[in-house]
Amino acid sequence: MMKIFLSIIIGALITALGIFFLYNGKLNGPESVVLILGGVLIGLIIYFSSEVQEFSIAGNAVKLKELRSEAIKTIDELARARTETFRLMLVQVLKLGGGFGSSSKVEERVKDFLNIYEIIIKFGCVEDLNDDIKKALQVLIVSQYNNLGFIHKSASKKPKDCLDDLWQPQDLYIQLKDQMIDELCNRTSPKPDFLKVKTDVINAIDAYKELYLIHKKLKP
């Protein structure tokens, strides 16, 4: 009974993710279908595994041994499917940018990346997805760093550049001056509220700090 319930929960969760990504434009049609079908398939695998187990309990020792082998295989397949789902989500995060008309200094993709990274940690998949996490992180930390260029005054970076000379977050907090906020306000018409702009900049440094800490943690 527990496995049937688990199959419904896992299948529904992955299917819901596929629908959510499609609705929010994070996946195109074919990619969403693949993710949804993957959720349904995983649910079916667990469901029929439960049926076989119930049938085999009345069987002989050979069937129980075969069931154990199938269970291990199913668990391995589920683990791979979970990892591939996270890998796909990391790729999709990078496709969410490119919006126009926003004056915010906060890189809009950082929040989604941090949420996915937290889930990856909870499921213990960081090691399996280390390279994928670093690729996404490299793009996002460079983008967020460049958004704060009015503070550090350094040349803009590209994702392939060496990141050894990145400013530490605390240095950005210290270097930030009200005059810089005024200059940002004066570039926009109509002139925005000073406190709103300053709050946005602080949030941008906070976002950079989260990425920077992960960068340092994953760096060999």
Side-chain angles (χ1 to χ4, degrees), residues 9 11 23 25 53 56 94 130 138 145 150 158 160 209:
I9 294 298
Y23 179 78
Q53 182 177 6
S56 299
L94 299 182
N130 189 274
Q138 188 91 359
Y145 186 75
F150 67 96
K158 298 179 181 178
K160 294 183 179 180
K209 177 182 177 181

Side-chain angles (χ1 to χ4, degrees), residues 14-182:
I14 298 179
T15 301
L17 284 174
I19 296 174
F20 174 78
F21 286 151
L22 177 63
Y23 179 78
N24 289 276
K26 300 178 182 180
L27 288 174
N28 57 35
E31 292 172 334
S32 180
V33 170
V34 170
L35 184 56
I36 292 173
L37 289 178
V40 174
L41 178 60
I42 291 174
L44 288 174
I45 289 174
I46 300 176
Y47 175 80
F48 285 112
S49 174
S50 300
E51 294 299 311
V52 172
Q53 182 177 6
E54 292 174 6
F55 177 79
S56 299
I57 289 176
N60 54 40
V62 175
K63 287 187 178 180
L64 290 175
K65 184 176 180 180
E66 292 173 352
L67 174 61
R68 180 176 180 278
S69 177
E70 287 298 318
I72 294 175
K73 180 180 178 181
T74 299
I75 292 173
D76 290 340
E77 290 174 349
L78 288 173
R80 286 195 296 270
R82 179 191 62 194
T83 301
E84 290 306 314
T85 299
F86 290 147
R87 181 172 286 114
L88 175 62
M89 293 171 70
L90 287 170
V91 172
Q92 292 305 314
V93 163
L94 299 182
K95 296 182 180 180
L96 300 180
F100 297 96
S102 174
S103 58
S104 175
K105 294 299 181 181
V106 180
E107 164 57 61
E108 59 183 336
R109 299 169 292 183
V110 171
K111 182 178 179 180
D112 289 314
F113 171 80
L114 294 176
N115 289 337
I116 294 172
Y117 181 69
E118 182 178 352
I119 296 174
I120 291 174
I121 291 177
K122 289 181 179 179
F123 280 93
C125 298
V126 174
E127 184 176 349
D128 293 335
L129 294 167
N130 189 274
D131 290 341
D132 301 273
I133 295 171
K134 286 181 177 179
K135 288 179 182 178
L137 179 63
Q138 188 91 359
V139 173
L140 296 178
I141 196 171
V142 165
S143 178
Q144 186 61 79
Y145 186 75
N146 290 340
N147 285 352
L148 297 168
F150 67 96
I151 301 176
H152 56 72
K153 309 293 184 181
S154 304
S156 295
K157 286 187 173 293
K158 298 179 181 178
K160 294 183 179 180
D161 290 345
C162 176
L163 302 183
D164 291 342
D165 59 343
L166 287 175
W167 275 39
Q168 296 186 25
Q170 59 265 33
D171 293 333
L172 292 172
Y173 289 117
I174 294 172
Q175 188 64 27
L176 178 64
K177 301 294 187 297
D178 284 350
Q179 181 182 352
M180 297 177 179
I181 304 299
D182 280 327

